[in-house]
Amino acid sequence: MANHDALPLVVLTEQFAKLPGIGMKSAARLAYHVMAMDAADVETFAQALLNARRTVHYCQCCENLTDKPLCPVCEDDSRDKSVICVVETPKDISAFERTGEYRGVYHVLHGLISPLKNVLPDDLKIRSLLSRVQNGDVQEVIMATNPTVEGDATAAYISQLLKPLGVKVSRLAFGLPVGGMLEYADEVTLYKALENRNIM
Amino acid sequence: MANHDALPLVVLTEQFAKLPGIGMKSAARLAYHVMAMDAADVETFAQALLNARRTVHYCQCCENLTDKPLCPVCEDDSRDKSVICVVETPKDISAFERTGEYRGVYHVLHGLISPLKNVLPDDLKIRSLLSRVQNGDVQEVIMATNPTVEGDATAAYISQLLKPLGVKVSRLAFGLPVGGMLEYADEVTLYKALENRNIM
């Protein structure tokens, strides 16, 4: 946007452009779209922004996002509290919940250890995980961070802290994706699939 | 987002998903991003939304978006008020201003005639264009709508209303884009380029 545009429009465009994955062109398109929206709809949008940021916080137990003291998973008595699935972000919980198969609970780290990005273990929600394992009746902790260098390193680090507490620590299986084709699998995935092969 | 997500987060996701070009997955990503933003930054964003929608309105003269009575182009005494460039949206003005060559003024229609989409001439800012031509010292009106069926039809319709007022009406030139290659030009563009050829 150039200086012939109305200032409030330029300000709004800059705000949209700060969001991830939205460049200046898309931001300008969104700002123009807001101009064409009903005033009441813009109020609703602004209120949803403020409301979400003000009322949503971390679950006291698992650090998932919630607007109540406990998140719906931790509050659900039918969930198996003895199994904790450790994930990087709240988004990952949605992925597991979509499978409809997992009946345990979660713990959100809110990041991965990455000395290059200046993220150290103390910046993650590791301490609350340790106290859950120490104080609760936990049988198994599943490390479900992504299969990346940082995800693997974080899983290994936490696993070392957990093992002395006498709890079983497991890692998600890595191998061929279901429906995937051998010829398109990358070498590391194929090696993992071979290494972790199961007896038929 | 599923029912295990905090309600304010679901509401915010739905709001983002209403914006053009943003699907449910991107909307969820944006909502999670807002959760990680500073509370003050979210306030600024919400305020920019409300402020833009509340203070920006149509220019009294050319119907461009502005937060003052007149837009910067109409207010600029150095602009040639005798030439009016008629465009579909305020965005189109930005495109012309970027060329830095056009010194006339604009008129924004805020749409194109489209009986299929139930947009009739009365829904566009045609009446204010006619009264500008009738009351001002206008020499030429340039129809700068897009070269589409609707853009051409709207240009033809307005041109018929303007001609009896004794004003020169012109249409943007259509031909090969500068830097384009003959072999990649579509047939209609090539035909237009041939039809509108210039003596060297």
Side-chain angles (χ1 to χ4, degrees), chain A residues 69-87:
Chain A
L70 287 176
C71 77
V73 175
C74 288
E75 230 175 21
D76 185 347
D77 284 335
S78 76
R79 304 291 295 233
D80 180 1
K81 302 286 197 296
S82 72
V83 183
I84 299 180
C85 178
V86 177
V87 294

Side-chain angles (χ1 to χ4, degrees), chain A residues 97-113:
Chain A
E97 290 297 292
R98 272 199 297 276
T99 71
E101 294 293 328
Y102 182 68
R103 296 305 304 160
V105 291
Y106 297 96
H107 192 89
V108 184
L109 297 174
H110 291 283
L112 294 174
I113 299 169

Side-chain angles (χ1 to χ4, degrees), chain B residues 49-117:
Chain B
L49 270 173
L50 296 172
N51 206 31
R53 186 63 187 75
R54 279 179 193 152
T55 63
V56 177
H57 48 80
Y58 295 163
C59 169
Q60 284 173 2
C61 177
C62 77
E63 314 276 6
N64 187 13
L65 294 171
T66 176
D67 56 339
K68 307 210 175 60
L70 287 177
C71 78
V73 175
C74 288
E75 229 175 21
D76 186 346
D77 284 335
S78 76
R79 304 293 293 233
D80 180 0
K81 301 286 196 296
S82 72
V83 183
I84 299 180
C85 178
V86 177
V87 294
E88 178 188 347
T89 66
K91 254 180 292 189
D92 299 327
I93 294 185
S94 302
F96 277 102
E97 289 297 292
R98 272 199 299 274
T99 70
E101 293 294 328
Y102 181 68
R103 297 304 303 158
V105 290
Y106 298 95
H107 192 88
V108 184
L109 296 174
H110 291 284
L112 294 174
I113 299 170
S114 169
L116 284 176
K117 292 179 193 154

